[in-house]
């Protein structure tokens, strides 16, 4: 008797990555139907939303507790961690809003949909981090110059220890939100881009990555606060460790957010995603039978993990009747092999370069 799979098991199967075809060979099997693609996307977004909602609730509960603990202990380091959690909570709320809006159907005015709201939420998240960083650095400088303050080491230790545990849970929660659907690192054999025959679906959601980076920063920060708490508890004369934590954490966040800023800038400027290599894609398209040349290839991202391409190719003379087969092969190559989200393919018969000068240009020639 055949085993019956539950609907949830079927949903989980949709998120399992397909085995890549052999290197150097272009897989030309049947394309996945639109229904399967939409269902796969709904499953992925449902998992992301669930984990982000849980993360937001956990952040809110502990942020309130840490604000109270930091105020009672008079610890700038603990307050830094609490305010940073407030920033992360805002980022997660923005992310949930962006994911909800990005699932809406395109309109007559926004024909690509609302995917880039996710990019905007990541930008706002990083901006909040930098605003908070400037405020905390100012407070840390004041404490460095004026040492007339006392810190309750016992309360600081308890608050920091709970913070380490909460941020460990948070990091695992956010890290799993995109594990089934994407991959961060290109394989060692193809640095800088996917090779033909490899299925490289893209990168994790940019906003989810931003939230995950924030969680990692909070974890390191909580560990630093815990170390500073032990120092202050047993060596009160070394209370300068409290503002020092703020200096170190500010530098840490500046480095960890740089990649997110760069990815966001590339998307806004419609640059080629880092996991794709234009030259490799052109070579793969040229291997399609009856293709004479690839005249133009433009690749950009609607948002992270949703790459789009427009391709203009010329066919070998006498093969115009095979345009449907060529178009189907090119579409399969771009969508399945290289993992693009959408593509537009324009085909025409071969035209010599000499025939492309218009009459106006010829008349103006000396």
């Amino acid at each position: 008797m055949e085993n019956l799979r539950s609907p949830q098991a079927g949903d989980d199967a949709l998120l399992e990555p397909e085995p890549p075809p052999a290197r150097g060979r272009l897989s030309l099997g049947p394309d996945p139907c639109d229904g399967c693609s939409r269902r796969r996307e709904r499953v992925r977004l449902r998992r992301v939303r669930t984990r982000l909602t849980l993360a937001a609730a956990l952040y809110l509960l502990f942020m309130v507790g840490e604000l109270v603990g930091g105020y009672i202990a008079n610890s700038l380091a603990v307050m830094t961690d609490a305010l940073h959690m407030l920033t992360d909570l805002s980022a997660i709320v923005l992310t949930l809003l962006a994911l909800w809006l990005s699932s809406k159907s395109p309109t007559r005015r926004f024909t690509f949909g609302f995917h880039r709201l996710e990019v905007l939420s990541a930008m706002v998240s990083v901006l909040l981090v930098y605003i908070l960083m400037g405020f905390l650095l100012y407070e840390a400088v004041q404490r460095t110059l004026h040492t007339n303050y006392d810190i309750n080491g016992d309360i600081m230790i308890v608050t920091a220890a709970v913070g380490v545990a909460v941020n460990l849970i948070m990091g695992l929660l956010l890290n799993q939100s995109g594990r089934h659907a994407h991959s961060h690192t290109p394989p060692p054999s193809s640095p800088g881009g996917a090779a033909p025959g490899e299925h490289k679906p893209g990168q994790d959601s940019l906003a989810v990555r931003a939230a995950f980076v924030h969680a990692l920063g909070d974890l390191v920060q909580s560990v630093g606060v815990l170390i500073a708490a032990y120092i202050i508890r047993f060596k009160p004369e070394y209370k300068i460790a409290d503002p020092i934590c703020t200096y170190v954490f500010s530098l840490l966040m500046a480095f960890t957010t740089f990649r997110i800023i760069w990815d966001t800038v590339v998307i806004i400027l419609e640059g080629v995603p880092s996991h794709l290599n234009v030259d490799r894609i052109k070579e793969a398209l040229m291997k399609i039978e009856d293709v004479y040349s690839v005249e133009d290839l433009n690749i950009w991202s609607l948002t992270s993990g949703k790459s789009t391409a427009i391709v203009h190719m010329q066919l070998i003379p006498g093969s115009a009747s095979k345009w449907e087969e060529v178009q189907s092969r090119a579409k399969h190559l771009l969508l399945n092999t290289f993992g693009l989200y959408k593509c537009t393919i324009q085909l025409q018969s071969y035209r010599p370069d000499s025939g492309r000068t218009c009459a106006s240009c010829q008349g103006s020639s000396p």
Side-chain angles (χ1 to χ4, degrees):
M1 180 180 295
E2 296 181 356
N3 295 326
L4 299 178
R5 297 196 306 174
S6 64
Q8 179 64 37
D11 288 348
D12 291 342
L14 283 173
L15 294 178
E16 296 297 327
E18 299 178 358
R23 182 180 296 277
R25 298 177 57 189
L26 302 180
S27 173
L28 296 177
D31 293 331
C33 69
D34 292 338
C36 289
S37 299
R38 287 193 296 268
R39 187 183 175 197
R40 182 190 296 270
E41 184 70 8
R42 285 197 301 269
V43 172
R44 186 186 72 86
L45 291 178
R46 185 172 68 243
R47 288 192 170 189
V48 170
R49 284 193 296 264
T50 299
R51 286 176 170 83
L52 288 180
T53 301
L54 292 175
L58 193 58
Y59 265 136
L60 178 61
L61 290 175
F62 182 68
M63 182 195 68
V64 174
E66 198 167 35
L67 281 173
V68 174
Y71 178 78
I72 295 175
N74 193 31
S75 169
L76 179 61
V78 174
M79 297 291 287
T80 301
D81 202 21
L83 290 176
H84 194 177
M85 282 193 174
L86 175 61
T87 303
D88 295 343
L89 177 61
S90 301
I92 290 177
V93 171
L94 288 171
T95 299
L96 289 170
L97 177 62
L99 291 177
W100 176 69
L101 290 174
S102 66
S103 64
K104 298 297 181 180
S105 301
T107 65
R108 292 181 179 179
R109 184 175 182 84
F110 300 99
T111 57
F112 277 109
F114 300 91
H115 300 292
R116 290 212 170 162
L117 285 174
E118 188 178 3
V119 179
L120 292 177
S121 71
M123 292 178 59
V124 172
S125 172
V126 174
L127 179 61
L128 289 174
V129 169
Y130 286 157
I131 293 175
L132 177 60
M133 186 187 304
F135 171 76
L136 294 174
L137 283 174
Y138 173 80
E139 293 296 327
V141 170
Q142 294 301 312
R143 286 206 170 188
T144 303
L145 297 177
H146 310 286
T147 59
N148 55 341
Y149 60 91
D150 295 315
I151 298 176
N152 189 320
D154 292 328
I155 297 179
M156 188 177 177
I157 287 176
V158 173
T159 307
V162 175
V164 171
V166 169
N167 283 301
L168 277 173
I169 297 173
M170 197 71 65
L172 292 174
L173 189 65
L174 294 173
N175 186 38
Q176 291 178 358
S177 63
R179 177 178 300 176
H180 298 277
H182 302 292
S183 175
H184 276 290
T185 308
S189 57
S190 60
E198 290 178 351
H199 183 73
K200 182 69 175 177
Q203 299 170 310
D204 289 340
S205 163
L206 186 60
V208 175
R209 286 173 56 204
F212 177 63
V213 168
H214 291 174
L216 290 182
D218 281 340
L219 175 59
V220 176
Q221 184 167 316
S222 296
V223 172
V225 171
L226 184 60
I227 295 173
Y230 273 105
I231 294 175
I232 294 172
R233 170 63 178 81
F234 297 104
K235 295 287 185 179
E237 62 272 19
Y238 294 146
K239 60 184 179 181
I240 191 66
D242 190 62
I244 286 177
C245 284
T246 301
Y247 299 140
V248 175
F249 301 152
S250 298
L251 289 175
L252 176 65
M253 290 310 302
F255 282 113
T256 54
T257 55
F258 175 77
R259 180 60 187 270
I260 295 174
I261 295 175
W262 174 249
D263 289 347
T264 302
V265 169
V266 171
I267 291 175
I268 292 177
L269 296 181
E270 298 185 338
V272 178
S274 59
H275 67 282
L276 295 175
N277 188 300
V278 174
D279 293 333
R280 292 180 184 272
I281 295 177
K282 283 186 176 181
E283 292 175 2
L285 290 171
M286 286 294 298
K287 292 180 181 179
I288 298 177
E289 187 177 359
D290 297 316
V291 171
Y292 179 81
S293 66
V294 178
E295 293 297 305
D296 198 15
L297 174 60
N298 296 309
I299 303 175
W300 72 98
S301 292
L302 299 177
T303 185
S304 183
K306 293 186 182 296
S307 304
T308 305
I310 295 179
V311 186
H312 177 203
M313 298 188 297
Q314 288 191 337
L315 301 179
I316 294 175
S319 60
S321 60
K322 300 180 181 179
W323 70 268
E324 289 189 65
E325 181 180 354
V326 173
Q327 186 181 60
S328 177
R329 288 172 178 265
K331 180 179 178 181
H332 185 97
L333 177 71
L334 295 173
L335 299 183
N336 289 16
T337 305
F338 289 98
L340 270 66
Y341 177 65
K342 287 184 178 181
C343 65
T344 300
I345 301 170
Q346 179 183 3
L347 301 176
Q348 69 176 54
S349 300
Y350 169 71
R351 296 180 182 177
D353 292 339
S354 59
R356 296 185 184 181
T357 304
C358 67
S360 177
C361 292
Q362 290 177 346
S364 61
S365 299

